[in-house]
Amino acid sequence: MSVQFRKLALIGIGLIGSSIALAARRQGLVDTIAIATRKQETLDEARALGLGDLYSLDAAEAVRGADLVILCTPVGAYESVIKSIAPFLEPGAIVSDVGSVKGHVVKVLAPYIPAGVHLIPAHPIAGTEHSGPSAGFPELFAGRWCVLTPGPEVDAAETEKLAAFWRAMGSQVECMEPGHHDMVLAITSHIPHLVAYNIVGTVADLEAATQSEVIKFSASGFRDFTRIAASDPVMWRDVFLTNRDAVLEMLGRFTEDLSVLQRAVRTGDGPALEAMFTRTRAIRRSIISAGQETAAADFGRPHEAPPAPASDDKV
């Protein structure tokens, strides 16, 4: 793959930012990578890992001469970031991001984008429960979706240039209207995280003896909830604060359906429960068919091999 951008500026260098740096470098998509972050220790870690070419605590310095700028901070920090970098953005540059909400992103970024600079928000739908510069890996985006939400004023050629960048890192790319993106992600990502945080929080509130037993005898369902609930707390705080309307809409639907399920359990309505579980099982199969998961046992998660039995042989 040929170089697509002269200089990529990553503002923030956690899981997503570091994975972009590694994937873009592996695919030869950029000449230079500049990294900016607020904390010296984070910058030092990124430098030790060799994630970039230029390192700075000043975001404005990092974006000078960059033809692609990607905001990788929590979305709550976007407004302060764009205010600091807007005067130094290169004419013709693309400004993008990796946030999980898009309506808020457009609202806070668009007023500060200079004429001649292209705002193309993005959301790579990929991640793990780990965070920080060392959490990144270049395969993170392979086979995953990246949603772009360009405004109608953005040149289609610029959108395609950013789409090609994401495709080169392994993503499938689709364009959406920001509000539609936020509604879809509210039910596919945001509500599941909210439920996971709540269930794990309930366990945290149990008396110590019961809590220890829950942890000791955790079945796969609860273990998966704990993995989700271990995600970056600052990032998810900002997601729920900035996608409030869509989350509340989907949360209302969820609680209505939960009330129906609660009634079926209370009244012993077996047919209703079976009908619900049959319908939801079909959704699981459609996700596998769409290539977004695997049918392998335990969802294909790796496990350590059991220890070999002790040998009775004498040396």
Side-chain angles (χ1 to χ4, degrees):
M1 186 74 187
S2 60
V3 170
Q4 293 183 312
F5 295 96
R6 299 186 313 276
K7 180 181 178 183
L8 164 64
L10 296 169
I11 312 302
I13 193 68
L15 167 68
I16 302 297
S18 58
S19 295
I20 292 172
L22 292 167
R25 182 76 80 202
R26 173 185 282 187
Q27 299 301 324
L29 303 177
V30 297
D31 283 327
T32 303
I33 298 176
I35 294 171
T37 186
R38 294 179 305 157
K39 297 181 179 179
Q40 185 65 55
E41 57 266 35
T42 306
L43 199 66
D44 291 342
E45 184 179 353
R47 182 184 284 109
L49 292 166
L51 295 177
D53 303 294
L54 305 171
Y55 303 87
S56 178
L57 294 174
D58 183 359
E61 179 182 336
V63 304
R64 291 178 188 273
D67 48 350
L68 175 59
V69 177
I70 303 180
L71 275 58
C72 304
T73 67
V75 292
Y78 278 18
E79 187 168 11
S80 63
V81 170
I82 193 64
K83 284 180 179 179
S84 70
I85 67 174
F88 307 99
L89 292 170
E90 185 86 357
I94 292 174
V95 173
S96 190
D97 78 307
V98 296
S100 297
V101 297
K102 295 276 77 86
H104 173 81
V105 167
V106 173
K107 180 180 177 180
V108 300
L109 294 187
Y112 301 100
I113 298 295
V117 173
H118 313 285
L119 174 62
I120 309 176
H123 177 201
I125 306 175
T128 73
E129 70 271 31
H130 304 295
S131 58
S134 62
F137 54 98
E139 302 85 4
L140 178 64
F141 311 112
R144 301 303 175 198
W145 285 98
C146 182
V147 178
L148 306 183
T149 61
E153 75 286 354
V154 176
D155 188 327
E158 298 300 323
T159 299
E160 173 53 31
K161 187 175 182 181
L162 184 61
F165 176 79
W166 280 104
R167 284 195 294 266
M169 293 191 294
S171 291
Q172 303 176 74
V173 178
E174 185 158 323
C175 290
M176 277 187 199
E177 187 274 328
H180 182 66
H181 165 278
D182 290 352
M183 192 65 72
V184 170
L185 269 294
I187 193 61
T188 60
S189 176
H190 305 167
I191 295 301
H193 276 80
L194 196 65
V195 171
Y197 281 123
N198 193 57
I199 288 177
V200 178
T202 298
V203 171
D205 291 336
L206 294 174
E207 60 184 44
T210 304
Q211 183 188 120
S212 65
E213 288 178 331
V214 169
I215 293 171
K216 180 178 179 180
F217 298 112
S218 289
S220 59
F222 182 70
R223 288 200 305 270
D224 285 341
F225 277 123
T226 62
R227 178 182 58 80
I228 295 171
S231 300
D232 188 300
V234 174
M235 181 187 78
W236 283 100
R237 176 202 66 191
D238 287 356
V239 166
F240 291 117
L241 292 177
T242 57
N243 198 27
R244 184 180 303 150
D245 291 343
V247 166
L248 289 175
E249 166 68 21
M250 289 302 174
L251 191 58
R253 296 190 186 196
F254 174 78
T255 53
E256 289 172 5
D257 290 341
L258 187 60
S259 294
V260 172
L261 197 57
Q262 182 182 30
R263 180 184 296 274
V265 172
R266 179 183 295 117
T267 61
D269 191 343
L273 291 171
E274 185 175 349
M276 164 69 84
F277 302 156
T278 300
R279 191 156 55 96
T280 57
R281 189 180 190 186
I283 294 292
R284 169 67 189 169
R285 288 172 173 168
S286 66
I287 290 173
I288 294 171
S289 298
Q292 296 304 296
E293 185 52 287
T294 172
D298 201 15
F299 309 123
R301 292 183 174 84
H303 297 276
E304 293 182 4
S311 173
D312 290 331
D313 293 342
K314 300 292 191 291
V315 177

